[in-house]
Amino acid sequence: MTRFHAIGLGLVTAAALVASAAPAVAADASAAAPVKSAKACPPDVYYKVKSKKQVNYWVPGTHFVDGKGGKVTGKVDRSWAKSATVEAGAEASIGAVWATVKANVSKSATRTNTVTVGHWYEHTISKKRYGHIRYRVIGYKVLLEKYRTRGNCKDQFLDAFYANVPTSKEGWKYWETKKA
């Protein structure tokens, strides 16, 4: 094959490739593969429990001390209510916060615990010690974080705040000390 002939075949091949590619370039865009739309999420505000700590909400007027040794006796004979509270300045949807607390902190969480029981409690004190009893509502101090889900599905931190949440659990707490 002569040099001229080889160059001619190369030109013919290149021309054939351009001709076969031309219709694909000029093809209608609707025949091309569909373009994926940008990911979209509905905007939403939600809360996360960052931490929780069990706490006692002491009923006023129910701390009794006796000793050294013997018995300590106390009675709840008053009405007292402990309500759930959210830190001042926290802009939060109470319903959404409440649902988060019930699901992630305690199923026994309650918006208000009213102590109205009139009952006695007695505990034996160890020798040379002072016995203390005090009535309490058991609850939680909860650190909550507020987030917003944006349209691009990314979460944006908005706020953090504390909530004091009583539960339906209550009762006496007993402890001893060396001094009154």
Side-chain angles (χ1 to χ4, degrees), residues 8-29:
L9 283 177
L11 289 175
V12 170
T13 307
L17 288 174
V18 169
S20 66
V25 171
D28 186 18

Side-chain angles (χ1 to χ4, degrees), residues 148-170:
R148 174 186 302 137
T149 302
R150 298 183 146 204
N152 62 2
C153 298
K154 296 197 184 234
D155 293 335
Q156 175 189 14
F157 173 79
L158 297 175
D159 196 9
F161 56 92
Y162 284 98
N164 294 304
V165 182
T167 67
S168 57
K169 298 175 183 176
E170 59 184 64

Side-chain angles (χ1 to χ4, degrees), residues 33-101:
V35 177
K36 290 184 180 179
S37 61
K39 193 175 180 183
C41 290
D44 188 24
V45 173
Y46 66 95
Y47 301 89
K48 283 185 184 178
V49 174
K50 184 70 175 171
S51 67
K52 65 181 181 178
K53 177 183 174 186
Q54 186 173 327
V55 294
N56 294 314
Y57 299 112
W58 302 109
V59 176
T62 62
H63 184 194
F64 303 97
V65 182
D66 209 342
K68 294 187 174 181
K71 290 183 181 178
V72 62
T73 304
K75 181 180 180 186
V76 174
D77 60 357
R78 62 173 17 126
S79 180
W80 180 76
K82 176 59 183 169
S83 297
T85 58
V86 175
E87 186 177 75
E91 293 182 24
S93 163
I94 297 302
V97 167
W98 190 248
T100 302
V101 167

Side-chain angles (χ1 to χ4, degrees), residues 91-159:
E91 293 182 24
S93 163
I94 297 302
V97 167
W98 190 248
T100 302
V101 167
K102 288 289 272 188
N104 298 300
V105 176
S106 174
K107 289 183 169 108
S108 64
T110 181
R111 291 183 190 218
T112 302
N113 181 325
T114 304
V115 175
T116 55
V117 179
H119 70 274
W120 290 91
Y121 177 77
E122 185 175 275
H123 199 284
T124 303
I125 306 167
S126 302
K127 291 182 180 181
K128 299 182 181 178
R129 302 288 239 165
Y130 290 92
H132 299 256
I133 57 173
R134 194 164 187 188
Y135 204 76
R136 66 192 169 165
V137 171
I138 299 167
Y140 293 92
K141 183 167 185 138
V142 182
L143 175 59
L144 293 153
E145 292 181 335
K146 181 178 179 181
Y147 289 89
R148 174 186 302 137
T149 302
R150 298 183 146 204
N152 62 2
C153 298
K154 296 197 184 234
D155 293 335
Q156 175 189 14
F157 173 79
L158 297 175
D159 196 9

